Amino acid sequence: MRVKVACATLLIVVVLLMLEHSTNAEKQQQHGIGIKKSSLLLDPTNEIKPTKLRKTGRQRLNPPRITTETTVMEPVRTTPLPVVPYKPEIISHSLDVLFMIDRSSTLDVGLQATKCLLHNLTSYFDVAYYKKVRMALMSLDTNDKLDFSFRRYQDDYGYERAIEILDTREGVDNYVGRALTYAHDIVLDPKGGQAARPNVAKVVVVILGSPSKDAIGEAARRLLSQPYLITVAVGHSDALQRELYAIAGDASGVIFADSIEHICDMWPKIHRSMLERLRGLYIRPLSPLKGFRLGMAREDMVEVAWKRPSDLVNYYIVRYRPSKMGPIDTYQNFTINIGREGAVQLPNLEKTEYVVQVRAYGLNQTSPTYSMKFNMACAGVKLDIILVFDTSMLTDDQFDLARNDFLSSFVNGFLIDSETTRVGIILYAEEARYVAPLSTYTEKSELLWRVNELDHDVGLRNTGAALNFAYFHGFEYSRRDVLKMVVVVTSGKSSDDVTRAAERLKNDDTLLFHVGVDMDTSEEDREIYASQPDNKFYYPVSSYMELGSIQIDLSKTICEEAFNYYNTLDPPLTPPRNVQIDDVQNTSFKVTWVIDDSELVTGYELSNNVTNATYLLGKRRRSFMLIEMLPGHYYNISICTKGYRKSSPKVYVSTKTELLAPVDVTAEELTPKMINIEWASPSVAVIQYKVSLLFRQSGQVLKALYTFETNHLLNTSIIMLGTQYEVQVRAIYPDDYESGPASAYITTDLPIPEEFQMAQKDETKIQLIWKRLDFKQHSTKHFLTYAVKIYDEYGNLIASDVLFHNSSSPFSREKNLDQFLYTWIQNLTPGRQYNATLQACLHGLTSKLMMIEFVTRRIGLPIDIAILVEISPTLQYQEVIATRDFLRNFVTSFDVENPANVRMTMMQLSNRPSRKFSMNESTNRSMIMSHLNTLTPVPGSSILSPEKFMYTLETAFEDSRSGIPRIMLLLMTNQHYSNLMPESDNELSDRGITSIVVQMAHAAESPFSNQSIMHRYVLGGFHQLYYAVHYVVTDAVRAEMFPLERITRERELIPSSLTVSEKLSGGGVLEWWAPNEWPAYYIISLEDSRGGTVWRENITMPRRLQYAYHFSSGLGSESNYTLVLEAFSKDTTSARRLVTFRTDKQTKLMLKDQASYEETLLKSKPPVARGSSDLNQSRNLNHSRDKRGREGAKEKIRDSKHLVELTQKAKSCLMAGCNIVFLIDSSNTTRTQEFVSLKTWLKKFISSFKIEAIDKAAANKRRQAMRRHSLDRLHPIATYGVGLSIVQYAERPRVVLPMMNRLTRKQINRHIANMRPAGGPSYVGRALNFVHGSILGSNATSTLPTKDIVILITTGTSSDDVMASANAIKSDGKILQQDISSFQRNQPSAGLGFARLDVVFLFVECYLLARAKATRLRELRV
């Protein structure tokens, strides 16, 4: 039964605990309290954002501020008050923080709220490895035990975890008084064992939630009495305010929360209260430092010590310097951390007097500076000292204090050994005890050990007996000729007679020092106890605690008296020898001397008998620099030896300081009448300078002046060109002392030629021009020349030229160049950087160099180049670099950015040849250079077979163009090229390949008999590659100028004017003009973007000039395609043309001739007219419209005859050879229906010119000239045909049809059909400028028998200026036919609108016919 009752009771208890736990969990969920820190919510009422902390080189984010509730209800106010968010400050200085928390509550919410508060407070403490903020935590119950001490943790994580694992304690009560007492006596005491630090501020934060069970008043008062401690009391729930006030001391340190849930919200107030109270601590002034002691550690080192203060000191600054060694000696500073006050060593000291200063530094305050002096010569003085110490009335504590503070420090004050100072100690009361005899303890360490082992006797004070003991026994083993001293320390009158004993010591030449401790000593007693004068030998102190304060003064007096004694002994010390003065300057000189080493010498006394300055120098010195002297003055210096004997006789030496002249005098001619003179000051004592200009040959002074600066611009008209001058500068010192002259010589230069510039630039030559010299002394009889030199980027001289002053001037129509000279520099390498220098020469004099930099133009001819390079692994690093530079210079010579010009590919030869870049990628120059810079040696070229080499060559040229010269550049660095090249050179020429070989070999090998010896360069060293670039590039250009027969055949077979157009019914039409040589058949293929063939068709067509091929199959949506048209002759010679296009989603063609104006601007060249398939003619077409001022009238008449013949055959009113541009208004002034009518009219109007017939006649004319082999005598304009372009404009122009010839009527109509209204304002001037600059910019025909024609069709007024643009076109000889606005809808009375454009067509046609014929006749008359 009892078991059942117990089980039932246990079950009820478990159920109640579960209910309580669930209730607590619900409350925690409501208040946002979780067990894990990451689950705790942020306080929405606070606007504090996490900030970055920087702690000892690392950064961290503050942990989020934890709160115990999610929302806070604010009271309703009629006028809202501005809320200034509290911005907490990071506490990063040294601080010990003790948290004392109340854990008596049984509610978990109270402990969680306390944890939240502690987390938020500690987030703003910088806990950096024990050096800054340390924390400890304890409870307020009866358990006198810390949860963790100050030494327990050293990082944020440790403190966070320690706070997180705190738990509640059931059944405990608060005993705050006992806890405060424990904190005061144990926790916060540096000696309490809990790692509290001295000289560090203490903060006690007490969190109290219930009344204390004991009294706290006395414990709180004891805690608050600590000088560098503050308290903050935090109350909540049932805490009593009087207890909080007792803990905090006043209201500023009390923070009270309304309830236990609001404790966490109080952290900003607690943090602010802590900072305010800490500021009060840190502004307290620091007390003066006390307890200084000085010890001799070695002959060159002392130890300074002082008592550690109780103030909040962070560190000390110790500085010292010699006190009597002149102004050249400065303080040496170093920092001493707190806690190292016991032995601060000052090393490497000389035997002279020093001054030491010590100052303590806190967070905001500094202590007064303590200063003292000591003489390092005391470290080696010979003394026998007996210390007679009275212990008759001392307690144990007093004796321990005297032993530690006085006896030990007194012994430390001397460098004790058997040869210098010895110290003996006699302790006495009723009897005297010789506890440390002189002859026994001759080492300082042994004597200090003995002092620490001493004990004392008490009883009667028999001072007389002690002095008799010192006389008879103390100096029993004293040294002869060594000064004896007795230091008596007594605290009262003696019980026996002292007079006779003291007199006995004094009569024995023993100095007697008396230290009276708390005794009223009369003058008679002082005369008995101390030697005379008694004011020097008597030291009264108030108590034994003050004995240590006289150690420095007592040791100093002992040292002084020892020197006074030894300085009276004979014989005197040896004086310095070989005293002399060296390094005499204007304000300083150095005194040097020689002397034998002696233990009796402690230093030297050097005196300046003019200024009466005296310097005490150390024993190790053998020279001394005197500074801050007056220039030009006499000085008398004396020096004597100081030490443990009489001072030596003085040795005198004299000197006179120099009057230093200015240094680094330079003279530079700025202009023909201005010289810039600069110099450096020899001394700060100079007050001004005298500058003189003289003729160098005669010495005649031309000009003299005074200045205070160290530079002067001499501007005078007496300076003549080509004359030698001397510039003298003198320094003037106080009392009008003047130095000797410092001279600089200058020969005035010729004037520098001006406006040196590059006037014209070509691929291999440039024209340099400059202005002739014109100066006052120049005469036409003078032989004045100009030397021009050209250097490459490596400084090598490339070319030079010399011109006379009366040489001819360059010709220019743009400006007058009669005052200029010019020269042409030829045989330069294309695309290379050069420096040009110019220098005038007259009678052996030369002007300064003028230098400009320039880069020659790159070659822009259509060439396909394949670079095959072998880089052998046997090459050295510098040879690989030379190979890379050769290839880089070769590529730089060509214009690879324009895909219509040079294209390149590169293959590196090995057993497995690799392609570095292809011809399609060669337009990216930076990519090419990147590949060249990364070329590395690759093995395997020795086993490369000729068959594999030819396959590699075919792979390199697989993307080559038809009719374009193909050049192979083979660079062999190890293997011979004959091992790879075919035996017959025809195998390459039959493929249209021109081979250029660069062979690195020490000895040339004979090639095969059938191999060509042209374009072969056998070099003996890699340095010759630099010079071979020019010749290799020249060979490449000649391959284009003199093409191979295969290339010429391909040019004759290339279809011309290849275009693709969209069919309205779907698909496209490929159109072209027949090549010059009738092909046997064509092969047309369609390729996708990946290079795969979609379809391929072999077709044979009848002979005619124009062809069209319709296609529609194989097209996909949104794809890129390439149509390839190949023409084959009967002997299988082939040539091909490519055209690309793209399809949209409906597989309709998207053609490139619909490009907008902005896209046109991005092209590398403006649209130009295209002619027949001959690539020589295509290359010359850009120049076919150039000015031909150098040709005669017969050529004009002959070309005009051919053009008239073509025009008559086509039966057109438009002169053959001209260009015509239609500029159509598509702005918002043109309605949609009107724009449709305009397109219909434009088709009819262009058809009336019979452009297609003119082009056919021109093609037949060219074919006829080729059959007769007279094409080279026929100017390309005679077979040009007519160029047509259509541009529509609104706000921006848009190219509908680029400038092209060989157009069919259908092609023209398709482009016109693609025109759409653009809308927007009309800018006619901008459109005319575009036509002038982009369409007709390279097709000027002002001196040709034809004119360019621009037809402007506008329907409204322009938004910009039109007249300036129109005049610019007219001034270039172009016909401008303006608008048809007179036939617009604005004149309904005329009955003419866009419906009557036929009338306009007739008018314009007749007008153009009249203008063209008038132009032709006017040109023929010329």
Side-chain angles (χ1 to χ4, degrees):
M1 186 64 181
R2 291 180 180 179
V3 173
K4 292 182 179 180
V5 172
C7 292
T9 304
L10 180 61
L11 180 61
I12 293 172
V13 170
V14 170
V15 172
L16 291 176
L17 290 176
M18 292 177 63
L19 290 175
E20 182 179 359
H21 178 73
S22 61
T23 304
N24 291 337
E26 291 176 359
K27 291 182 179 180
Q28 294 173 6
Q29 185 176 3
Q30 292 175 0
H31 293 294
I33 301 175
I35 297 175
K36 293 184 179 180
K37 181 177 179 180
S38 59
S39 65
L40 300 176
L41 300 179
L42 296 177
D43 184 3
T45 63
N46 194 0
E47 300 180 9
I48 300 174
K49 297 181 180 180
T51 58
K52 288 186 177 181
L53 299 180
R54 186 170 183 85
K55 297 186 179 182
T56 62
R58 65 184 181 89
Q59 291 186 351
R60 70 174 178 87
L61 287 177
N62 288 337
R65 189 172 61 81
I66 308 171
T67 180
T68 57
E69 59 184 35
T70 57
T71 59
V72 175
M73 298 300 294
E74 297 184 355
V76 179
R77 300 186 180 96
T78 56
T79 302
L81 296 176
V83 178
V84 179
Y86 175 63
K87 296 181 179 180
E89 177 184 342
I90 305 299
I91 300 177
S92 59
H93 50 77
S94 298
L95 186 68
D96 288 345
V97 182
L98 173 63
F99 292 107
M100 306 178 70
I101 63 174
D102 183 356
R103 299 167 69 177
S104 61
S105 175
T106 59
L107 297 178
D108 185 62
V109 64
L111 181 60
Q112 294 299 332
T114 302
K115 290 182 182 180
C116 171
L117 174 63
L118 295 179
H119 273 300
N120 288 335
L121 286 176
T122 56
S123 298
Y124 292 95
F125 291 158
D126 189 354
V127 290
Y129 302 104
Y130 293 123
K131 295 182 179 180
K132 295 186 178 180
V133 180
R134 296 185 187 179
M135 289 177 280
L137 187 141
M138 63 177 294
S139 302
L140 295 174
D141 51 30
T142 57
N143 185 10
D144 292 338
K145 184 179 179 182
L146 292 178
D147 289 87
F148 55 86
S149 65
F150 291 112
R151 70 164 61 93
R152 181 63 179 87
Y153 301 108
Q154 61 177 348
D155 55 14
D156 296 320
Y157 177 77
Y159 285 115
E160 291 174 4
R161 291 296 302 161
I163 295 173
E164 192 66 35
I165 62 176
L166 292 176
D167 56 358
T168 59
R169 295 181 179 178
E170 298 182 1
V172 297
D173 295 322
N174 286 335
Y175 288 87
V176 181
R178 178 176 176 176
L180 294 178
T181 302
Y182 179 76
H184 177 271
D185 296 339
I186 303 299
V187 180
L188 300 176
D189 189 354
K191 300 179 181 179
Q194 301 300 331
R197 293 171 289 179
N199 303 101
V200 173
K202 307 293 189 299
V203 177
V204 179
V205 180
V206 181
I207 304 174
L208 192 59
S210 60
S212 175
K213 296 296 184 179
D214 60 351
I216 68 173
E218 181 61 26
R221 282 191 294 272
R222 289 184 61 203
L223 197 64
L224 293 174
S225 65
Q226 296 297 317
Y228 298 107
L229 182 144
I230 65 169
T231 56
V232 178
V234 183
H236 64 87
S237 302
D238 299 332
L240 300 179
Q241 290 192 3
R242 59 181 178 81
E243 294 183 347
L244 298 176
Y245 278 95
I247 295 172
D250 54 39
S252 63
V254 176
I255 293 92
F256 198 87
D258 297 338
S259 62
I260 193 173
E261 292 85 358
H262 292 109
I263 297 177
C264 190
D265 295 332
M266 296 296 104
W267 78 267
K269 294 182 180 180
I270 300 172
H271 188 274
R272 183 188 290 112
S273 178
M274 290 171 56
L275 287 181
E276 291 176 353
R277 294 191 155 209
L278 284 173
R279 290 190 184 100
L281 294 183
Y282 292 126
I283 63 175
R284 294 181 183 178
L286 300 183
S287 303
L289 299 177
K290 298 179 181 180
F292 277 88
R293 297 178 298 278
L294 182 70
M296 295 290 175
R298 293 198 309 257
E299 288 189 359
D300 63 344
M301 185 174 71
V302 300
E303 290 183 352
V304 181
W306 60 92
K307 291 184 177 180
R308 182 171 183 170
S310 60
D311 301 334
L312 300 181
V313 175
N314 291 341
Y315 61 93
Y316 308 92
I317 296 293
V318 178
R319 53 202 303 252
Y320 66 97
R321 69 172 179 86
S323 62
K324 293 183 179 181
M325 288 184 65
I328 61 172
D329 291 294
T330 58
Y331 280 102
Q332 298 187 33
N333 301 343
F334 54 94
T335 302
I336 303 298
N337 294 328
I338 187 74
R340 296 187 56 191
E341 308 87 350
V344 178
Q345 296 179 346
L346 308 182
N348 301 323
L349 304 180
E350 297 190 36
K351 288 189 177 296
T352 185
E353 187 177 69
Y354 283 85
V355 58
V356 179
Q357 295 179 352
V358 184
R359 174 179 287 185
Y361 289 80
L363 194 62
N364 297 317
Q365 298 290 334
T366 60
S367 70
T369 301
Y370 177 84
S371 181
M372 65 176 175
K373 291 183 179 181
F374 64 91
N375 194 340
M376 278 303 297
C378 298
V381 65
K382 291 186 176 182
L383 291 174
D384 284 342
I385 305 174
I386 292 180
L387 179 61
V388 180
F389 196 85
D390 177 14
T391 64
S392 60
M393 303 299 292
L394 291 182
T395 63
D396 292 342
D397 293 339
Q398 288 177 331
F399 180 75
D400 291 340
L401 180 63
R403 179 180 55 191
N404 296 330
D405 283 357
F406 179 72
L407 294 180
S408 297
S409 62
F410 181 82
V411 171
N412 267 323
F414 301 96
L415 189 63
I416 296 177
D417 59 38
S418 60
E419 299 297 329
T420 56
T421 302
R422 300 190 302 176
V423 175
I425 301 175
I426 297 175
L427 300 182
Y428 77 95
E430 186 174 352
E431 294 181 355
R433 294 185 298 135
Y434 204 178
V435 295
L438 278 175
S439 59
T440 302
Y441 298 97
T442 57
E443 295 292 336
K444 181 184 290 188
S445 59
E446 296 177 356
L447 183 56
L448 289 175
W449 172 82
R450 178 57 182 156
V451 169
N452 292 329
E453 298 295 325
L454 294 179
D455 56 1
H456 72 289
D457 296 332
V458 296
L460 296 177
R461 184 180 294 111
N462 292 329
T463 307
L467 292 178
N468 282 326
F469 184 86
Y471 175 79
F472 289 108
H473 303 286
F475 292 111
E476 183 178 1
Y477 297 101
S478 64
R479 293 167 293 178
R480 183 178 300 177
D481 297 332
V482 174
L483 181 62
K484 298 187 289 294
M485 294 184 181
V486 174
V487 180
V488 182
V489 181
T490 179
S491 59
K493 290 185 178 296
S494 175
S495 301
D496 59 354
D497 182 43
V498 182
T499 304
R500 291 187 62 186
E503 289 297 330
R504 187 180 290 113
L505 288 171
K506 294 176 184 179
N507 293 332
D508 193 33
D509 294 331
T510 301
L511 293 181
L512 199 59
F513 291 83
H514 180 212
V515 180
V517 181
D518 191 20
M519 61 181 294
D520 185 12
T521 306
S522 63
E523 294 184 5
E524 295 179 359
D525 292 339
R526 287 200 298 269
E527 292 180 358
I528 296 174
Y529 280 95
S531 297
Q532 296 300 317
D534 55 17
N535 58 353
K536 182 186 295 187
F537 296 91
Y538 175 64
Y539 291 88
V541 294
S542 59
S543 64
Y544 282 96
M545 295 182 62
E546 299 296 328
L547 272 178
S549 62
I550 67 170
Q551 183 262 335
I552 296 177
D553 293 337
L554 180 60
S555 299
K556 182 178 180 182
T557 304
I558 292 175
C559 178
E560 291 175 354
E561 291 302 317
F563 275 102
N564 292 336
Y565 168 76
Y566 286 116
N567 287 338
T568 62
L569 299 181
D570 289 321
L573 297 173
T574 303
R577 306 190 314 273
N578 298 336
V579 181
Q580 58 185 3
I581 294 179
D582 300 327
D583 194 14
V584 180
Q585 303 293 329
N586 58 340
T587 60
S588 64
F589 54 86
K590 181 166 64 174
V591 182
T592 62
W593 61 91
V594 175
I595 195 171
D596 297 332
D597 291 335
S598 173
E599 295 180 355
L600 300 177
V601 177
T602 61
Y604 308 93
E605 181 180 272
L606 189 145
S607 300
N608 186 339
N609 300 316
V610 176
T611 61
N612 296 323
T614 300
Y615 308 96
L616 296 180
L617 309 178
K619 177 180 179 179
R620 296 193 299 266
R621 288 293 186 104
R622 294 298 183 269
S623 64
F624 185 71
M625 178 70 72
L626 283 87
I627 63 174
E628 297 182 359
M629 303 291 107
L630 293 176
H633 286 66
Y634 286 95
Y635 289 93
N636 183 268
I637 306 300
S638 63
I639 184 172
C640 66
T641 308
K642 305 286 288 185
Y644 304 123
R645 287 291 186 272
K646 284 184 179 181
S647 300
S648 71
K650 292 184 178 181
V651 180
Y652 293 88
V653 65
S654 62
T655 187
K656 180 184 177 182
T657 52
E658 297 287 344
L659 290 173
L660 296 182
V663 295
D664 300 333
V665 180
T666 60
E668 179 186 7
E669 182 185 7
L670 301 181
T671 67
K673 295 183 180 181
M674 183 178 294
I675 298 178
N676 181 38
I677 306 170
E678 295 182 353
W679 61 92
S681 175
S683 171
V684 294
V686 178
I687 58 175
Q688 64 177 345
Y689 303 92
K690 181 181 179 181
V691 182
S692 303
L693 180 67
L694 303 84
F695 279 121
R696 184 174 183 181
Q697 293 181 352
S698 64
Q700 179 184 355
V701 178
L702 301 177
K703 192 170 185 179
L705 51 92
Y706 293 88
T707 179
F708 296 96
E709 306 296 333
T710 56
N711 65 300
H712 184 74
L713 284 176
L714 188 60
N715 191 359
T716 176
S717 59
I718 64 176
I719 300 175
M720 295 184 296
L721 298 175
T723 307
Q724 294 182 346
Y725 294 96
E726 179 182 358
V727 177
Q728 293 183 354
V729 183
R730 289 177 169 87
I732 300 178
Y733 294 91
D735 300 332
D736 292 333
Y737 283 89
E738 186 175 300
S739 72
S743 299
Y745 301 96
I746 180 173
T747 301
T748 51
D749 297 329
L750 290 175
I752 303 175
E754 299 178 349
E755 300 186 36
F756 183 42
Q757 57 187 301
M758 181 177 60
Q760 299 184 48
K761 180 174 67 172
D762 207 342
E763 287 86 353
T764 60
K765 64 180 182 178
I766 62 165
Q767 185 189 41
L768 300 175
I769 65 173
W770 62 92
K771 197 172 183 179
R772 286 186 173 91
L773 289 180
D774 184 16
F775 51 94
K776 183 177 180 181
Q777 291 82 11
H778 180 244
S779 172
T780 56
K781 298 180 181 180
H782 291 167
F783 196 71
L784 179 61
T785 59
Y786 303 89
V788 179
K789 295 182 179 180
I790 306 298
Y791 299 90
D792 61 9
E793 55 186 334
Y794 300 104
N796 301 317
L797 180 63
I798 303 300
S800 62
D801 195 6
V802 178
L803 276 80
F804 297 103
H805 185 74
N806 55 357
S807 300
S808 59
S809 301
F811 171 77
S812 175
R813 294 181 178 178
E814 299 178 356
K815 59 181 180 179
N816 184 10
L817 297 178
D818 293 340
Q819 299 299 322
F820 284 77
L821 294 175
Y822 77 97
T823 181
W824 282 96
I825 305 297
Q826 302 185 12
N827 295 327
L828 302 178
T829 302
R832 179 167 290 180
Q833 180 177 346
Y834 293 95
N835 296 325
T837 63
L838 174 64
Q839 194 173 31
C841 304
L842 177 64
H843 299 314
L845 300 177
T846 57
S847 68
K848 292 185 178 180
L849 282 175
M850 286 288 294
M851 180 180 292
I852 61 173
E853 294 182 357
F854 64 89
V855 179
T856 52
R857 184 181 299 168
R858 294 187 174 97
I859 297 173
L861 300 177
I863 307 174
D864 287 345
I865 303 176
I867 304 174
L868 283 70
V869 57
E870 175 216 19
I871 302 182
S872 173
T874 61
L875 298 184
Q876 298 181 2
Y877 177 74
Q878 294 299 330
E879 295 174 339
V880 175
I881 296 299
T883 305
R884 293 177 185 171
D885 292 340
F886 168 79
L887 296 174
R888 194 160 37 240
N889 293 333
F890 178 77
V891 173
T892 306
S893 301
F894 297 94
D895 179 18
V896 297
E897 282 83 0
N898 188 353
N901 294 334
V902 182
R903 299 199 308 168
M904 292 186 180
T905 183
M906 187 173 73
M907 311 285 288
Q908 186 168 2
L909 299 180
S910 64
N911 58 336
R912 300 177 62 183
S914 60
R915 188 199 299 268
K916 297 301 179 180
F917 54 87
S918 64
M919 291 187 179
N920 295 328
E921 300 171 341
S922 62
T923 55
N924 189 345
R925 183 179 298 274
S926 60
M927 182 273 297
I928 295 178
M929 294 302 172
S930 176
H931 283 294
L932 294 179
N933 292 333
T934 56
L935 281 176
T936 55
V938 177
S941 60
S942 59
I943 59 175
L944 182 64
S945 63
E947 293 78 10
K948 196 168 186 178
F949 172 79
M950 292 302 296
Y951 174 77
T952 302
L953 187 61
E954 293 176 359
T955 304
F957 284 112
E958 63 183 1
D959 295 330
S960 62
R961 297 166 290 181
S962 299
I964 301 298
R966 293 181 280 277
I967 300 172
M968 178 198 71
L969 173 59
L970 178 61
L971 176 59
M972 304 296 292
T973 60
N974 188 20
Q975 300 297 319
H976 198 268
Y977 69 91
S978 59
N979 298 333
L980 302 178
M981 298 275 289
E983 294 187 7
S984 175
D985 203 56
N986 293 334
E987 294 187 31
L988 298 179
S989 59
D990 291 343
R991 302 170 187 261
I993 299 175
T994 301
S995 61
I996 304 175
V997 178
V998 179
Q999 176 69 56
M1000 304 304 302
H1002 297 289
E1005 298 183 16
S1006 300
F1008 294 108
S1009 59
N1010 294 330
Q1011 284 187 346
S1012 173
I1013 60 175
M1014 298 294 294
H1015 311 319
R1016 303 295 187 264
Y1017 302 95
V1018 181
L1019 308 180
F1022 282 84
H1023 66 280
Q1024 298 178 350
L1025 284 173
Y1026 175 80
Y1027 304 99
V1029 174
H1030 179 80
Y1031 301 101
V1032 173
V1033 172
T1034 302
D1035 291 344
V1037 174
R1038 287 176 178 171
E1040 198 278 335
M1041 296 174 61
F1042 308 101
L1044 298 175
E1045 182 180 356
R1046 172 60 182 264
I1047 301 300
T1048 305
R1049 287 291 311 279
E1050 290 180 0
R1051 291 177 177 176
E1052 299 300 323
L1053 278 173
I1054 295 178
S1056 62
S1057 301
L1058 183 66
T1059 59
V1060 61
S1061 305
E1062 180 187 3
K1063 292 177 59 177
L1064 299 178
S1065 59
V1069 179
L1070 180 66
E1071 300 175 279
W1072 69 94
W1073 287 66
N1076 297 327
E1077 179 182 344
W1078 296 109
Y1081 60 93
Y1082 294 95
I1083 293 180
I1084 304 175
S1085 59
L1086 180 66
E1087 298 179 356
D1088 55 20
S1089 58
R1090 294 172 295 182
T1093 302
V1094 180
W1095 50 261
R1096 180 183 178 94
E1097 184 174 357
N1098 189 329
I1099 60 175
T1100 303
M1101 292 188 173
R1103 294 184 177 183
R1104 60 185 188 185
L1105 294 177
Q1106 295 176 331
Y1107 296 97
Y1109 179 80
H1110 300 262
F1111 65 92
S1112 60
S1113 62
L1115 299 179
S1117 60
E1118 295 184 332
S1119 302
N1120 295 318
Y1121 294 96
T1122 302
L1123 273 172
V1124 182
L1125 175 63
E1126 294 182 90
F1128 290 84
S1129 64
K1130 293 181 181 180
D1131 58 354
T1132 67
T1133 302
S1134 64
R1136 65 176 185 172
R1137 275 287 180 87
L1138 309 176
V1139 62
T1140 60
F1141 62 91
R1142 180 176 173 81
T1143 58
D1144 57 11
K1145 293 182 179 180
Q1146 288 77 28
T1147 68
K1148 293 183 179 181
L1149 274 64
M1150 300 170 61
L1151 303 178
K1152 294 182 179 180
D1153 55 7
Q1154 297 177 354
S1156 64
Y1157 169 63
E1158 288 76 7
E1159 294 171 335
T1160 304
L1161 291 179
L1162 295 176
K1163 295 182 179 180
S1164 60
K1165 292 178 61 178
V1168 296
R1170 299 195 177 274
S1172 65
S1173 61
D1174 189 289
L1175 292 189
N1176 277 332
Q1177 181 182 359
S1178 298
R1179 181 169 54 86
N1180 294 328
L1181 276 177
N1182 294 334
H1183 309 284
S1184 67
R1185 319 305 306 276
D1186 292 344
K1187 300 179 181 180
R1188 300 172 57 195
R1190 59 180 178 268
E1191 297 184 3
K1194 292 183 179 181
E1195 294 246 359
K1196 296 182 180 179
I1197 296 175
R1198 186 177 62 195
D1199 292 341
S1200 178
K1201 181 184 70 173
H1202 294 307
L1203 296 177
V1204 171
E1205 180 184 350
L1206 295 178
T1207 303
Q1208 291 176 350
K1209 286 184 179 181
K1211 298 180 181 181
S1212 172
C1213 65
L1214 190 63
M1215 174 66 77
C1218 68
N1219 288 327
I1220 183 169
V1221 181
F1222 286 90
L1223 197 55
I1224 312 299
D1225 187 354
S1226 61
S1227 63
N1228 51 16
T1229 59
T1230 306
R1231 300 175 183 173
T1232 304
Q1233 187 60 36
E1234 294 170 347
F1235 194 78
V1236 174
S1237 303
L1238 181 60
K1239 292 197 298 183
T1240 304
W1241 172 82
L1242 189 59
K1243 292 178 182 178
K1244 295 180 181 179
F1245 183 44
I1246 295 177
S1247 298
S1248 66
F1249 291 140
K1250 299 182 180 180
I1251 295 176
E1252 184 176 359
I1254 297 176
D1255 288 341
K1256 289 181 179 179
N1260 287 328
K1261 183 71 176 177
R1262 188 176 189 283
R1263 193 180 300 277
Q1264 181 183 9
M1266 290 185 60
R1267 290 197 301 268
R1268 297 176 180 177
H1269 302 287
S1270 61
L1271 184 61
D1272 56 342
R1273 299 193 298 272
L1274 188 64
H1275 196 279
I1277 193 64
T1279 60
Y1280 175 69
V1282 175
L1284 175 64
S1285 177
I1286 302 175
V1287 179
Q1288 67 178 70
Y1289 73 91
E1291 185 176 1
R1292 296 282 184 181
R1294 176 178 176 271
V1295 178
V1296 178
L1297 175 63
M1299 178 63 71
M1300 299 180 63
N1301 62 350
R1302 301 295 193 268
L1303 290 170
T1304 64
R1305 180 174 59 83
K1306 293 182 179 179
Q1307 289 176 334
I1308 297 173
N1309 291 342
R1310 289 193 192 102
H1311 285 89
I1312 296 175
N1314 288 330
M1315 293 171 55
R1316 299 289 184 271
S1322 173
Y1323 286 84
V1324 180
R1326 183 181 296 171
L1328 290 175
N1329 289 333
F1330 173 74
V1331 172
H1332 188 204
S1334 298
I1335 304 299
L1336 300 176
S1338 61
N1339 292 282
T1341 58
S1342 59
T1343 59
L1344 290 176
T1346 60
K1347 296 280 186 179
D1348 288 337
I1349 303 171
V1350 179
I1351 300 178
L1352 173 63
I1353 303 175
T1354 178
T1355 59
T1357 58
S1358 175
S1359 299
D1360 59 352
D1361 181 33
V1362 182
M1363 296 306 299
S1365 303
N1367 292 333
I1369 292 181
K1370 292 179 181 179
S1371 64
D1372 284 348
K1374 300 174 177 61
I1375 301 174
L1376 179 63
Q1377 170 61 31
Q1378 297 201 42
D1379 56 59
I1380 56 172
S1381 58
S1382 58
F1383 306 101
Q1384 286 190 30
R1385 53 189 177 274
N1386 298 332
Q1387 299 177 355
S1389 59
L1392 296 175
F1394 277 89
R1396 298 296 305 277
L1397 284 176
D1398 291 340
V1399 179
V1400 180
F1401 149 66
L1402 295 175
F1403 168 75
V1404 175
E1405 180 181 2
C1406 296
Y1407 174 80
L1408 293 178
L1409 177 62
R1411 288 295 301 271
K1413 289 182 177 180
T1415 301
R1416 178 173 57 85
L1417 293 176
R1418 185 164 59 251
E1419 296 291 343
L1420 290 178
R1421 292 191 191 101
V1422 176

